[in-house]
Amino acid sequence: MTALNPAPEILLEALSDVPGHAGLGRIWQALPQARLVGGCVRDLLCGREVHDLDLASPFPPEEAQQRLERIGARVIPTGLEHGTVTAVIDHHPYEITTLRRDVSTDGRHAVVAWTDDWQEDAQRRDFTINAMSLDQEGRLSDYFGGLDDLRAGRVRFVGHAVRRIEEDALRCLRFFRFFARYGRGEPDGEACQAITRLKDLMTRLSVERVAMELLKILSGPQLLRTLELMEETGSLAVLLPHHAPLSDLGRLLACDDPSEPLHRLAVLYPPGGVDGQGLAEVGVHLKLSNEGRAMLAALAKPEPELAATLDDDGLRRVLFQQDRSILLLRSWLVQAKELGRPDAGWDELRQRLEALEQPIFPLAGRDLIALGVKPGPDMGQWLKRAQHWWLEQGCRPDAGACRAWLAGQLSPR
């Protein structure tokens, strides 16, 4: 499709390529006034991949559920108090929310009431680019200039920025996340002034919500400019105090690194930490998953050492010591620190690292028993010596060669 072309036939053609689009016909059969809303409309307009098809409807949630069940959809009441049900059609989920208006907010939660006014519902959304909707005829409804903002690369709050942040402080972080992906040029001045003024409201947010948005920001394409903007508004000091200079991250981004948020976070909190706060502590503070914390802990280790000049023997040694995926990420960190630019040598090292088979030390206790070593502390020491020799040989000797070496060591001299 032609990006940002709102013509109905163009949008419907683009929609036909989205996974799960086939189920929309059945949803519109049950809820003919429903419209696609939010991110799927935004990304459809600018030709980006659409992941989830979310809809809104003027029907109250209980009635929407009944109508959907009558056309054979499996309906899950995922959030009736907020007006949301999930319809599953041909194993594909569609989130459908009743049109709402805010009755009251406290900066974290909102009390809502149902409405049949589409503009009233759109008015409670965070940004103009997220406030557009699309009906089954491909007609776009845009009450606040979202299409023009999308064309201009402008992330702008719906209505007054201060009021929208006071309703939900997470919108500060969402502003930076969307700026990192859709923003171009100078950021919206009203938004930045409001965030600067209200940044301390973010301390009231749950750590889990903050972490989720931070990781999305860290994977964004305009990361450095976004973090600079967060620093200018004082938000970064609130969310990630004691971080390393952003220039360190700039060196990593200059290497054309993969957009993995945790290894970018590792640059902001290098081994040893900044002002006493290290990478492992940040992982705990952000309440990351066990997998995420383990990855940060592995990235924080100074060993094994990586260098673009390592031969295959050396690569096998480090691959035996640490998981391949971690080594690949660490290679970018070392390249950033040493060079801060793209490098064919590091690219070749990563290619060789991915091609190598995982080294597995071929001896076990039974091999030593067969050579006459009795179970106990001595057996462990001999295994360590054999493994050390095997590593020195580049992890190449097979079980037979290792047994022969060990037999020679055990033989009386």
Side-chain angles (χ1 to χ4, degrees):
M1 78 174 260
T2 302
L4 297 172
N5 189 334
E9 64 275 12
I10 296 293
L11 291 177
L12 289 176
E13 180 184 352
L15 186 59
S16 68
D17 294 329
V18 176
H21 78 279
L24 289 174
R26 292 175 62 186
I27 291 175
W28 275 316
Q29 178 186 345
L31 307 171
Q33 296 170 287
R35 299 180 191 173
L36 291 166
V37 292
C40 62
V41 178
R42 177 197 66 226
D43 289 340
L44 200 66
L45 281 165
C46 57
R48 299 194 182 198
E49 183 178 1
V50 175
H51 297 284
D52 300 305
L53 292 170
D54 296 332
L55 300 97
S57 153
F59 295 102
E62 293 81 1
E63 183 179 350
Q65 180 172 352
Q66 294 168 5
R67 284 171 167 265
L68 289 162
E69 287 172 341
R70 284 201 290 268
I71 57 98
R74 181 167 68 92
V75 183
I76 305 168
T78 43
L80 284 179
E81 69 277 14
H82 301 295
T84 301
V85 298
T86 298
V88 182
I89 300 175
D90 295 331
H91 308 290
H92 196 93
Y94 306 82
E95 194 172 274
I96 303 159
T97 302
T98 298
L99 297 179
R100 299 171 293 182
R101 61 181 176 84
D102 287 339
V103 175
S104 63
T105 60
D106 64 1
R108 289 179 293 178
H109 310 288
V111 176
V112 299
W114 315 140
T115 181
D116 59 2
D117 187 327
W118 283 94
Q119 183 165 345
E120 191 172 31
D121 180 84
Q123 193 165 350
R124 69 184 301 279
R125 295 184 179 270
D126 47 12
F127 307 109
T128 61
I129 62 174
N130 294 336
M132 296 177 282
S133 57
L134 187 72
D135 69 12
Q136 61 179 308
E137 304 299 328
R139 292 176 298 225
L140 182 71
S141 295
D142 177 15
Y143 304 102
F144 306 109
L147 182 61
D148 287 341
D149 286 341
L150 198 57
R151 284 172 170 153
R154 184 169 50 239
V155 181
R156 185 168 59 88
F157 282 99
V158 172
H160 298 292
V162 167
R163 186 177 306 163
R164 306 326 306 276
I165 293 170
E166 288 175 339
E167 291 168 350
D168 185 354
L170 192 69
R171 287 171 174 162
C172 293
L173 275 168
R174 286 175 60 81
F175 172 82
F176 296 120
R177 194 231 296 184
F178 286 107
F179 182 81
R181 280 168 171 73
Y182 301 93
R184 296 193 305 277
E186 287 300 309
D188 182 69
E190 182 189 350
C192 291
Q193 290 174 13
I195 292 170
T196 301
R197 173 181 163 185
L198 301 173
K199 60 184 180 297
D200 289 335
L201 291 180
M202 288 188 285
T203 60
R204 299 169 56 189
L205 297 169
S206 73
V207 174
E208 291 85 353
R209 294 181 80 197
V210 169
M212 185 180 300
E213 291 295 329
L214 271 176
L215 294 181
K216 290 177 180 178
I217 291 170
L218 287 167
S219 62
Q222 294 194 82
L223 176 57
L224 191 59
R225 178 66 189 105
T226 301
L227 290 182
E228 288 171 346
L229 185 58
M230 292 177 71
E231 197 167 52
E232 291 166 13
T233 59
S235 303
L236 200 57
V238 171
L239 300 166
L240 290 176
H242 315 296
H243 62 80
L246 294 182
S247 57
D248 292 355
L249 182 60
R251 292 175 64 85
L252 174 66
L253 300 178
C255 296
D256 298 327
D257 73 309
S259 56
E260 164 55 55
L262 291 183
H263 93 289
R264 291 177 170 182
L265 184 62
V267 176
L268 293 175
Y269 289 89
V274 179
D275 293 339
Q277 186 162 20
L279 191 56
E281 289 78 11
V282 171
V284 172
H285 168 71
L286 292 177
K287 295 186 179 179
L288 299 180
S289 66
N290 290 337
E291 182 183 1
R293 293 186 197 183
M295 180 183 290
L296 291 183
L299 289 173
K301 291 180 180 178
E303 300 290 344
E305 292 186 8
L306 275 173
T309 54
L310 280 178
D311 58 16
D312 283 355
D313 283 358
L315 273 184
R316 275 188 289 269
R317 280 191 285 270
V318 297
L319 185 54
F320 178 72
Q321 295 174 269
Q322 194 167 74
D323 181 81
R324 190 191 313 267
S325 61
I326 298 296
L327 286 172
L328 288 168
L329 290 178
R330 289 189 66 223
S331 72
W332 291 102
L333 303 183
V334 180
Q335 179 182 345
K337 185 175 181 179
E338 292 184 353
L339 296 177
R341 57 175 170 75
D343 181 72
W346 279 104
D347 292 340
E348 184 198 3
L349 178 129
R350 282 184 280 269
Q351 292 171 3
R352 290 190 291 122
L353 183 57
E354 292 195 51
L356 284 175
E357 291 187 13
Q358 177 64 45
I360 299 174
F361 181 53
L363 293 189
R366 61 180 177 273
D367 297 290
L368 276 74
I369 291 173
L371 291 171
V373 179
K374 295 180 180 180
D378 283 350
M379 178 181 286
Q381 291 300 316
W382 280 113
L383 274 175
K384 286 182 180 179
R385 292 178 192 176
Q387 187 181 97
H388 180 73
W389 173 81
W390 176 75
L391 285 167
E392 285 184 329
Q393 309 309 307
C395 310
R396 286 179 284 106
D398 61 12
C402 288
R403 283 194 294 266
W405 177 86
L406 192 55
Q409 298 297 305
L410 290 167
S411 298
R413 299 186 182 278

